Structures are given as C-alpha cells and as structure tokens.
Amino acid sequence: MILDQYGQPVTARHEDAQDMQGGWQLTGGIGGPVTLPQQVRLLGALSRADTQRAAVVAWYLNPLLYGAVEVIKSFVLGTSVTYGDHPDKTVQAVMEEFWAANSFDTLIERWFTEHLLLGENLTIWPDPKRFTRRDQAARIGQYGVIEGQLKFTTAPGLPDVVESIGIAGKRTIRQGEYVWSAHDSLLNDVRGWPAVGRALGPALAYLNFINARTKVHELASRINAVYYAFAKDEKELNAKAGRFRNVPRNGAVLTLAQNAEGKREEFDFHIPDLKAQDSAVDAKLIKQLLAVALGLPEHYLAEGGGVTRTTADSMGEPARKSFQRRQRTVWNWLQATFRTELTRRYPDGTFTTKKGSRKRVSAAQVEFPFNFPSLQNEDLTALIAKINLVARERLASRQTMTAELGYDPAAEAEKLASEAKEAETNGPNPDPKAKKPTADPKAGQ
C-alpha cells in the first residue's frame, strides 16, 4: 500500500478538486499539479513527435539546454573521433574510403546531436536498384524521423527486432540498406524517445524564472519613489505630482506640506525587496533538476557554489561513467554502419582479425578501430606513469596509447612515415639546438 504525505492510502480514483492527491506533482513541465492517476493517463497521451519537436526548438532557443548538450558532446566526442589501423588491408581500405566519402568527422556530431534531441536515427543507403557499384564507397543519409511516416516490420515472435522499414511514399528498406537506433525503446516498442526529454521541463522553467526576475528588476528601475499626496480633487493631485516628475540628482531637499491636523504627506524612495538570496536557491534547484536529468554534475552547468577540486572529482566520476555509456552508443552505431557498408561491398567476403593469423571472419564480426577522447581526469605525471605501465605490461596497443595521449594514431603514423621518407631522401633535419660551426679567424693566413 502506498501512503500519501498525510498517511492516507493512494487510491485509483481522482477528483479534479483534489489537485494534490497522493502528494504527486510534476515540476517544470506540464503546468499545474499532476497526481499519480493523472500520470497513468498521461502515458497514453504522450506524443513522441511533439516531444521531439519540443527538444529541437529548445535546443535552438533555450541557452541552458543548448549549453548542457554542448557539454555532453564535448566530453563524449571531444574535438573529433578518429579511426585507427586494421590488420586486414581490405577492411582498412573500405574504412578509409567510406569515412572520406561521408565526412564522418562531422557526420558523427550530427548523429549524436540527433540522438540526444530525437532519441532515434535512421541511417539509410542509396537504393540498390540505382546504385549498384561495389567498387566505390556509398554516400549515406540521415532520414528525418519526426515528419517521416515510418512503418516497421518486426521478426515473428520478436517484436523488438526490426526486419524492414517502410518509408511512406518512397520505398521499403530492408536489412543491409539501413541502420536503425532508438533510445529508451521499452515495452516492445521499436521507436525511441529524446535523451534530453526529461530535461525539457527544467530548462523551460529556468528560462521562465530568469524572465520573471528580469521583469521585476525592470519594474523596479521604472519606479523610483512613491509619493502619498493629499488632494481634494484630481487637478490638485496632478499639480502635486508635477513637482516630482524630475527627481533632483544631487543635494536637493524635497519640501513636503503638513496640514493643520498634524498629519503630513509622505514621500518614500522605492527600494523593492527582490529577495535575491531566495531566488538564488530557487535557480539552483531548477539547475540541479536539469543536471540530474542529463547525468551532469551541477558545476558543469556554470554552478560552482562550494565545489572544491576534491568534491568535483568525486562528483564527476558518475558523469564520466555516463559519458562512457554514451561513447559506447556512438561506437555501436559506427560499428553497425561500417559493417553494413563492408557487407554491401563484399557480401561473401571474409577478413582477418590479427596480423599473421589465419582465422577469418565475416563482415558482421569485424571490429573497426575507432578512437574516442579519454575521459580520465589525470595530470601529466599520472598519465605518463599510466602509459609506461601499460606499455611495459603490454596491456594495450600503440594505437590505444597514442589515442590516450590525445593524438590521432592514423594521422601520426602517416606523418611519421612521411618524415622518415623525407629524412631518407634529404638527410636528417639538423638539430636546432646544436651549435653552428664558427669560422676560424686564422684560417687562410
């Protein structure tokens, strides 16, 4: 049995007059208190398309939500995601050509932004009836899932496994022609929900809160003083009001009349009580609500407060775990996308997994090397010690250690090869610190 704040059982019945039955209330979203029975009915009224549209509009217009999304993207993607070297030359060639043809360094950011705002993504390949060449990389697209009318066909007995997707008025795409991803797809539903959906209410509430405070300050700046005047009619009141239309700047004395009964007129300068301390607490609570919804510490949202470096590190650990899960989501999409392209170009091909190994696997089992930014908050000394330990114990590849240091393994390998070839042709570059030989003054005498 569930009891409310008064110790009474929460029942399934609800009357409109009992706005707080059960003590349940939704903050910053629906508008007005929402009880538990109302929440149950609200589940059936939720619109996925409206929620997605609201998330996109908030990303464009709400600075707090936009900043929070950019913080998540900066941790998950860093400056860029890169690819490494694969032992199979065919896999390496397909990866490089596919990456260049679709500008994945920017496409990944777009995909992740749509994942956060829409919660679902449909990556589609060209119609195989029109694009039949397997010697070239395919150009893929991101289909707009909000306005598009999609019809999903699932496997018999497996309601969450998509076999084909019908795009209204266009075509039906089947396995090998698309990659579908959905966030928070529950209860046998193949569709997803925005990853930032739960943060929309607090983000809007924070913006409305700031607007309300701005209006209070604007009103306070327009009303400088309040004059309580004695007047027998409107004409006398207007005449007295005219004396104070221009408030003197310096050193002036305002003379006020006093009537025969001993009562006097009053003139008080208006100093509104804005309760800035209370408003700061309210603003912090709203920000904390948004931070919890997105898995961010409050100091990631320009809310330093009393956070020290020690507390920031401990608070940041759960956030780093959350970022790692989001990195894994992007990694899964990249693997599915590149495996689909590899299967399209080599449908019956097999590929090696290690240098010198005879074991070969199908395209569906190939793991492409992608490097994400490190999420460890380490100083240079700790990072060097970590890399030395990993290298000494042979716990990771050179590509992984290079990426851990913040470098692009593929780009640096290419640059090192170019420098080695140039040194072989032109000789090694002179050491800039070496002392240049000086001419002997006695030479030639």
Side-chain angles (χ1 to χ4, degrees), residues 178-252:
Y178 71 92
V179 171
W180 171 254
S181 57
H183 174 74
D184 278 350
S185 55
L186 303 174
L187 304 176
N188 294 333
D189 187 6
V190 298
R191 303 295 301 269
W193 292 88
V196 300
R198 297 169 184 84
L200 295 179
L204 179 61
Y206 189 80
L207 204 61
N208 292 336
F209 173 81
I210 293 178
N211 291 335
R213 297 293 299 177
T214 304
K215 290 179 181 178
V216 171
H217 284 280
E218 181 185 2
L219 180 63
S221 65
R222 290 165 55 190
I223 302 177
N224 301 111
V226 179
Y227 173 32
Y228 304 91
F230 292 118
K232 60 180 180 295
D233 53 26
E234 185 175 355
K235 181 178 180 180
E236 183 180 359
L237 180 63
N238 291 335
K240 289 187 176 183
R243 292 182 296 172
F244 302 108
R245 292 191 185 278
N246 297 318
V247 179
R249 288 183 177 274
N250 300 311

Side-chain angles (χ1 to χ4, degrees), residues 389-391 393-401:
L389 173 63
V390 171
E393 300 296 332
R394 296 183 180 181
L395 302 176
S397 65
R398 295 180 63 87
Q399 293 184 36
T400 302
M401 290 186 289

Side-chain angles (χ1 to χ4, degrees), residues 206-444:
Y206 189 80
L207 204 61
N208 292 336
F209 173 81
I210 293 178
N211 291 335
R213 297 293 299 177
T214 304
K215 290 179 181 178
V216 171
H217 284 280
E218 181 185 2
L219 180 63
S221 65
R222 290 165 55 190
I223 302 177
N224 301 111
V226 179
Y227 173 32
Y228 304 91
F230 292 118
K232 60 180 180 295
D233 53 26
E234 185 175 355
K235 181 178 180 180
E236 183 180 359
L237 180 63
N238 291 335
K240 289 187 176 183
R243 292 182 296 172
F244 302 108
R245 292 191 185 278
N246 297 318
V247 179
R249 288 183 177 274
N250 300 311
V253 177
L254 299 179
T255 303
L256 303 177
Q258 182 174 344
N259 64 5
E261 297 179 0
K263 296 181 180 179
R264 62 182 179 84
E265 296 177 329
E266 294 183 5
F267 186 94
D268 297 331
F269 280 95
H270 181 61
I271 304 177
D273 185 5
L274 300 180
K275 298 188 181 300
Q277 185 175 1
D278 294 344
S279 66
V281 174
D282 296 340
K284 186 174 182 179
L285 288 175
I286 299 175
K287 268 193 175 182
Q288 286 177 341
L289 198 61
L290 182 136
V292 169
L294 296 178
L296 295 173
E298 59 179 334
H299 60 276
Y300 284 13
L301 300 175
E303 188 69 44
V307 178
T308 63
R309 174 159 186 170
T310 302
T311 56
D313 289 341
S314 60
M315 292 167 62
E317 185 60 29
R320 282 192 286 271
K321 298 295 183 182
S322 175
F323 296 146
Q324 287 175 348
R325 290 199 307 270
R326 297 187 190 277
Q327 284 184 341
R328 191 68 181 181
T329 300
V330 181
W331 186 88
N332 289 336
W333 171 74
L334 285 172
Q335 294 295 330
T337 302
F338 277 78
R339 287 170 182 169
T340 302
E341 173 66 5
L342 184 61
T343 303
R344 184 193 69 84
R345 295 187 62 175
Y346 299 94
D348 300 322
T350 58
F351 313 93
T352 59
T353 57
K354 297 180 180 179
K355 288 184 178 181
S357 174
R358 295 183 178 181
K359 181 181 179 180
R360 301 182 71 85
V361 298
S362 64
Q365 296 174 287
V366 172
E367 182 173 305
F368 291 84
F370 298 113
N371 304 305
F372 287 81
S374 174
L375 297 174
Q376 300 300 322
N377 187 18
E378 299 169 322
D379 57 22
L380 182 59
T381 303
L383 183 59
I384 292 175
K386 176 181 177 180
I387 296 297
N388 288 336
L389 173 63
V390 171
R392 184 172 63 252
E393 300 296 332
R394 296 183 180 181
L395 302 176
S397 65
R398 295 180 63 87
Q399 293 184 36
T400 302
M401 290 186 289
T402 303
E404 187 74 13
L405 291 170
Y407 298 103
D408 182 348
E412 297 306 323
E414 184 177 347
K415 292 177 182 178
L416 289 172
S418 177
E419 290 178 357
K421 185 175 181 180
E422 183 179 354
E424 183 179 351
T425 305
N426 303 327
N429 293 328
D431 186 357
K433 296 182 180 180
K435 295 183 178 180
K436 296 182 179 179
T438 56
D440 188 356
K442 298 182 180 180

Side-chain angles (χ1 to χ4, degrees), residues 68-76 112 116 294 296 323 326:
V69 169
E70 291 301 304
V71 167
I72 296 175
K73 288 165 56 178
S74 66
F75 276 96
V76 174
F112 187 58
L116 294 174
L294 296 178
L296 295 173
F323 296 146
R326 297 187 190 277

